[in-house]
């Protein structure tokens, strides 16, 4: 996670009633609380202290590179968060100075704070190369301003004159050497702006973060965004963008964070997305459809969220066979069918696995018991059957196990112990004899498997998780045409 920027860090991580989508990035652990069904999905309670400690550790390193402005104690925490981001994304070969427009969450929802806007202690001389950079930025931002039709919070009232480092939502950085200041990032989260993106924005070649979360932008992403070599984070979530998957993002060379959720994109997603070296992929709450690409698990991402779309077909049988470091995958509320593949057990670092609200069938693979770090396992609202394996219920990191609204026929003593742990365990509306809140007997007389035969490795007792890969590759190869 080195170099990963901390985005949308909230002060109230444990607020269970929050309905705002949230992605939390810790450089020790990536976790997400995603409002995909109007409920918090997973809460990284450690993020707050981790980030605070990390920022304190970096203060001394950052202090020599950053000009600290006279701000109140209440805003200093957010200032140091942005300062830390700049230390991560701006090369520190020479001294770095923030020269304006550091912003966090402009709108009321984010409690907007602006620090140091318009202060510039290193104004370039007319011969400085930065004059050209800032002049180019001025042309680009004014072209974009002309394409913004509504600004209810008055953010763009500050976008006047050539000093772009004083614009709200724009923050600059610059060396004390000959290069001078340049636009390093744009953060207009929660600004409620309406408009479109313009091709002139691609001339901001030094920009590292481009955040437009929760606005009313529409249209598509300009094709020349591929010409922004420094761009690492692209967050266009919760807007009105539409059309097919914006393939231009595949050609942004240094992109590591892609957030397109809560828009109206549609059609297929390209398999090349999962060959790109992204650390986080958020495509949930769009209108994407078709089968999941066969190389889904090739992605080096820590979190992949494809929830609340219209994906159909099977989860790829090769799922898990690549050496993936996936920590969270959310496929809930799609139209997936078939089996849960055996390869899921190969994700040794998986913390969240949610395939609820699909039409998955068959028995659970025993390999799920190899998910030693799993905390949230949600299989609810499918057509799964058989007995819930003891091995699954014995997972020691498990905090929430949900198998409700399936056709499970029973579970054993180990699963009963979940009641006595500090663990959420919902097995309602199944076919478990002697338990309350189960399906009527007529519904349980016909298990909706449709003759489905799931690929399963030969049962070994006890299951040796370390030997899974060889067995699975052998089985997949033997069943391939």
């Amino acid at each position: 996670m080195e170099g990963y920027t901390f985005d949308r860090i909230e002060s109230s991580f444990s607020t269970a009633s929050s309905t705002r989508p949230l992605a939390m990035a810790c450089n020790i652990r990536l976790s997400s609380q995603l409002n995909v069904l109007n409920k918090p999905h997973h809460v990284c309670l450690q993020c707050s202290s981790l980030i605070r400690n990390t920022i304190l550790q970096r203060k001394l390193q950052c202090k020599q590179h950053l000009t600290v402005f006279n701000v109140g104690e209440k805003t200093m925490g957010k200032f140091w968060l942005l300062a830390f981001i700049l230390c991560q994304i701006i090369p520190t070969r020479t001294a770095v100075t923030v020269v304006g427009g550091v912003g966090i969450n402009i709108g009321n929802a984010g409690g907007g704070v602006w620090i140091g806007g318009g202060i510039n202690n290193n104004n370039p001389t007319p011969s400085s190369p930065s004059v050209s950079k800032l002049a180019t930025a001025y042309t680009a931002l004014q072209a974009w301003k002309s394409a913004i039709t509504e600004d209810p919070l008055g953010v763009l009232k500050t976008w006047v004159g050539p000093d772009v480092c004083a614009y709200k939502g724009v923050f600059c950085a610059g060396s004390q050497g000959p290069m001078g200041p340049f636009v390093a990032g744009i953060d207009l989260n929660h600004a409620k702006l309406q408009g479109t993106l313009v091709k002139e924005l691609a001339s901001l070649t030094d920009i590292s973060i481009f955040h437009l979360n929760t606005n009313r932008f529409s249209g598509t992403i300009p094709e020349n965004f591929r010409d922004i070599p420094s761009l690492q984070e692209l967050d266009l979530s919760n807007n009105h963008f539409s059309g097919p998957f914006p393939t231009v993002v595949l050609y942004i060379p240094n992109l590591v964070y892609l957030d397109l959720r809560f828009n109206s994109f549609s059609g297929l997603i390209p398999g090349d997305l999962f060959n790109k070296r992204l650390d986080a992929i958020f495509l949930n709450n769009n209108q994407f459809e078709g089968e999941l690409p066969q190389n889904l698990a090739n992605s080096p991402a820590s979190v992949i969220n494809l929830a609340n779309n219209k994906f159909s077909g099977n989860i790829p049988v090769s799922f898990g066979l690549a050496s993936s470091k996936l920590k969270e995958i959310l496929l809930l509320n799609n139209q997936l069918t078939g089996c849960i593949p055996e390869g899921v057990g190969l994700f040794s670092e998986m913390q969240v696995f949610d395939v609820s609200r699909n039409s998955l069938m068959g028995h659970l693979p025993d390999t799920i018991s190899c998910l030693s770090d799993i905390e949230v396992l949600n299989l609810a609202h499918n057509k799964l059957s058989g007995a819930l394996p003891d091995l699954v219920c014995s997972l020691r990191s498990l905090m929430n196990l949900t198998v409700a609204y399936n056709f499970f026929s029973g579970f054993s003593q180990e699963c009963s112990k979940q009641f006595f742990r500090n663990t959420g365990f919902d097995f309602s509306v199944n076919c478990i004899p002697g338990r309350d809140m189960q399906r009527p007997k007529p519904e349980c007389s016909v298990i909706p498997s449709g003759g489905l035969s799931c690929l399963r490795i030969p049962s070994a007792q006890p299951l040796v998780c370390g030997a899974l890969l060889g067995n699975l590759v052998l089985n997949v190869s033997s069943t391939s045409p």
Side-chain angles (χ1 to χ4, degrees):
M1 296 292 291
E2 183 67 24
Y4 195 90
T5 63
F6 296 142
D7 184 40
R8 292 178 303 286
I9 303 300
E10 300 292 323
S11 59
S12 55
F13 291 105
S14 59
T15 304
S17 62
S18 173
T19 58
R20 177 177 164 223
L22 175 65
M24 295 173 291
C26 300
N27 72 329
I28 295 177
R29 173 183 176 208
L30 178 67
S31 193
S32 61
Q33 176 188 353
L34 303 167
N35 179 33
V36 289
L37 288 174
N38 291 324
K39 293 182 181 179
H41 209 291
H42 185 54
V43 183
C44 174
L45 297 177
Q46 300 174 345
C47 282
S48 181
S49 59
L50 285 174
I51 291 165
R52 187 181 302 110
N53 292 338
T54 304
I55 291 171
L56 289 175
Q57 292 170 9
R58 289 298 301 270
K59 268 189 178 182
L60 292 179
Q61 299 175 38
C62 292
K63 195 169 185 179
Q64 61 180 317
H65 300 309
L66 298 171
T67 299
V68 181
F69 303 108
N70 183 21
V71 296
E73 181 178 354
K74 183 177 180 181
T75 63
M76 282 302 294
K78 290 188 175 183
F79 170 75
W80 280 115
L81 181 59
L82 263 294
F84 180 80
I85 289 176
L86 289 175
C87 282
Q88 292 288 322
I89 64 177
I90 305 301
T92 55
R93 296 187 297 270
T94 55
V96 176
T97 303
V98 176
V99 295
V102 179
I104 308 173
N105 287 344
I106 295 171
N108 294 332
V113 176
W114 286 98
I115 304 166
I119 299 178
N120 186 348
N121 294 327
N122 286 322
N123 287 315
T125 62
S127 60
S128 171
S130 68
V131 172
S132 176
K133 284 182 176 290
L134 295 184
T136 299
Y138 171 75
T139 301
L141 294 174
Q142 289 300 316
W144 189 24
K145 180 181 178 181
S146 298
I148 296 175
T149 57
E150 290 189 19
D151 176 21
L153 302 182
V155 173
L156 302 186
K157 290 179 180 178
T158 65
W159 286 32
V160 177
D163 186 5
V164 297
C165 296
Y167 292 6
K168 280 189 177 182
V170 178
F171 60 89
C172 295
S175 68
Q176 294 178 349
M179 293 304 296
F182 54 86
V183 174
I186 292 177
D187 184 343
L188 290 169
N189 288 349
H190 298 276
K192 299 182 180 180
L193 299 171
Q194 178 174 302
T196 59
L197 303 181
V198 296
K199 66 181 188 309
E200 286 84 357
L201 288 169
S203 64
L204 302 175
T205 55
D206 297 302
I207 196 172
S208 294
I209 59 174
F210 190 70
H211 293 170
L212 296 183
N213 182 314
T214 312
N215 283 281
R216 292 175 291 159
F217 286 102
S218 59
T220 59
I221 304 173
E223 285 295 321
N224 62 349
F225 265 46
R226 67 179 69 196
D227 299 327
I228 309 179
S230 298
L231 187 58
Q232 295 183 23
E233 293 198 6
L234 180 62
D235 182 355
L236 304 179
S237 60
N238 202 13
N239 278 282
H240 299 160
F241 291 105
S242 59
F245 181 89
T247 55
V248 60
V249 303
L250 303 177
Y251 303 101
I252 301 175
N254 292 302
L255 194 67
V256 295
Y257 180 97
L258 177 64
D259 192 345
L260 301 178
R261 56 188 162 162
F262 290 93
N263 279 289
S264 297
F265 291 112
S266 58
L268 306 178
I269 57 173
D272 286 345
L273 174 66
F274 303 105
N275 295 329
K276 189 170 175 61
R277 301 199 62 79
L278 293 168
D279 192 69
I281 301 172
F282 294 95
L283 302 182
N284 55 289
N285 294 81
N286 280 282
Q287 302 293 321
F288 292 119
E289 58 188 357
E291 295 189 357
L292 297 175
Q294 291 298 310
N295 64 335
L296 171 65
N298 288 358
S299 174
S302 299
V303 55
I304 298 175
N305 190 345
L306 305 180
N308 296 328
N309 282 286
K310 297 178 180 179
F311 293 113
S312 58
N314 297 344
I315 300 174
V317 68
S318 59
F319 188 67
L321 297 185
S323 57
S324 176
K325 298 297 182 182
L326 192 61
K327 287 180 168 59
E328 302 186 10
I329 186 161
L330 296 98
L331 301 175
L332 65 155
N333 200 24
N334 281 286
Q335 301 166 13
L336 299 174
T337 56
C339 308
I340 295 176
E342 287 273 6
V344 67
L346 294 173
F347 291 106
S348 58
E349 299 181 17
M350 183 81 75
Q351 296 171 352
V352 176
F353 182 69
D354 191 335
V355 292
S356 61
R357 296 182 182 272
N358 283 286
S359 295
L360 299 172
M361 300 180 184
H363 295 190
L364 288 183
D366 286 345
T367 56
I368 286 183
S369 64
C370 294
L371 300 176
S372 57
D373 289 342
I374 197 73
E375 297 178 6
V376 175
L377 180 59
N378 193 345
L379 310 173
H381 291 270
N382 279 288
K383 300 176 182 179
L384 299 167
S385 57
L388 193 62
D390 257 355
L391 293 169
V392 173
C393 295
S394 63
L395 291 164
R396 297 305 174 184
S397 297
L398 199 58
M399 297 170 58
N400 188 292
L401 172 61
T402 305
V403 297
Y405 290 88
N406 279 287
F407 290 84
F408 288 111
S409 56
F411 56 80
S412 56
Q413 187 64 31
E414 187 63 34
C415 292
S416 297
K417 293 178 183 178
Q418 294 285 351
F419 291 117
F420 304 102
R421 296 182 192 169
N422 187 22
T423 303
F425 180 31
D426 185 357
F427 57 88
S428 60
V429 197
N430 277 281
C431 299
I432 304 174
R435 297 289 181 174
D436 295 333
M437 299 180 65
Q438 299 299 298
R439 292 181 183 275
K441 286 186 178 180
E443 290 186 17
C444 297
S445 61
V446 180
I447 303 300
S449 60
L452 182 69
S453 177
C454 297
L455 172 66
R456 296 293 181 241
I457 63 172
S459 58
Q461 299 295 333
L463 181 66
V464 180
C465 294
L468 273 180
L469 181 58
N471 291 335
L472 286 173
V473 171
L474 184 63
N475 276 331
V476 170
S477 300
S478 64
T479 58
S480 298

